[in-house]
């Protein structure tokens, strides 16, 4: 898989950045197109993220963390259930007045969501492993 996707590393980097710029431009001038551009960018982003992580591992820059690797599917499946609610709560509580503060709220929500889900995964794995297996689709 690394060989197949690795051939598209440079293309995925260029496309991911270009689609991000196009999305910002379209949001201002062609808002009807942003949904399509965003979905394409998500697909390209997946290819980019896969290639980037493979490159980091291959070059010894990063190492696999067993806990994070085992929690990744759980986070993937469950982040959508809580991230929107946390974002709304944070937005109401903080009421960002500028683009920078809105970006800070958004980044904070990502960190909080992942942190809460990692804690939940840890607690489920430690105290209710059978429940975790059912929730994570391993049984």
């Amino acid at each position: 898989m690394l060989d197949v996707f690795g051939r598209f590393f440079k293309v995925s980097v260029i496309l991911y950045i270009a689609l991000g710029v196009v999305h910002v431009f379209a949001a201002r001038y062609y808002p009807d197109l942003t949904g399509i551009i965003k979905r394409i960018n998500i697909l390209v982003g997946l290819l980019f993220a896969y290639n980037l992580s493979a490159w980091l591992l291959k070059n010894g820059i990063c190492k696999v963390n067993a806990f994070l690797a085992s929690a990744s599917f759980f986070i993937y499946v469950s982040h959508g259930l809580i991230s929107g609610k946390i974002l709304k709560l944070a937005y109401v509580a903080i009421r960002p007045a500028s683009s920078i503060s809105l970006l800070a709220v958004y980044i904070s929500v990502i960190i909080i969501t992942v942190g809460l889900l990692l804690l939940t995964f840890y607690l489920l794995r430690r105290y209710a492993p059978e429940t975790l297996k059912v929730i994570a689709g391993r049984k």
Side-chain angles (χ1 to χ4, degrees), residues 36-48:
I36 295 168
I37 296 168
K38 182 178 179 181
R39 283 172 181 77
I40 294 169
N41 201 19
I42 289 171
L43 290 173
V44 173
L46 290 171
L47 180 63
F48 168 70

Side-chain angles (χ1 to χ4, degrees), residues 12-138:
S12 69
V13 171
I14 293 167
L15 274 177
Y16 187 66
I17 293 169
L19 284 168
V21 171
V22 168
H23 185 268
V24 170
F25 176 78
R28 182 163 175 88
Y29 299 106
Y30 303 101
D32 295 341
L33 294 177
T34 57
I36 295 168
I37 296 168
K38 182 178 179 181
R39 283 172 181 77
I40 294 169
N41 201 19
I42 289 171
L43 290 173
V44 173
L46 290 171
L47 180 63
F48 168 70
Y50 180 81
N51 280 319
L52 179 63
S53 58
W55 181 82
L56 291 170
L57 290 169
K58 184 177 165 184
N59 290 303
I61 297 168
C62 293
K63 294 184 181 180
V64 174
N65 180 305
F67 174 73
L68 294 178
S70 63
S72 64
F73 183 73
F74 176 78
I75 292 171
Y76 167 71
V77 168
S78 48
H79 81 278
L81 299 172
I82 66 167
S83 62
K85 292 170 181 62
I86 294 172
L87 182 59
K88 287 178 187 176
L89 183 68
Y91 188 82
V92 169
I94 297 171
R95 297 194 188 272
S98 68
S99 297
I100 297 296
S101 59
L102 183 61
L103 180 63
V105 166
Y106 187 73
I107 291 171
S108 299
V109 166
I110 293 169
I111 293 167
I112 291 166
T113 300
V114 172
L116 284 172
L117 290 174
L118 284 172
L119 177 63
T120 303
F121 180 81
Y122 172 78
L123 292 172
L124 283 170
R125 190 171 77 172
R126 182 170 179 140
Y127 298 109
E130 294 303 315
T131 304
L132 178 62
K133 286 179 184 177
V134 171
I135 292 172
R138 293 185 182 146

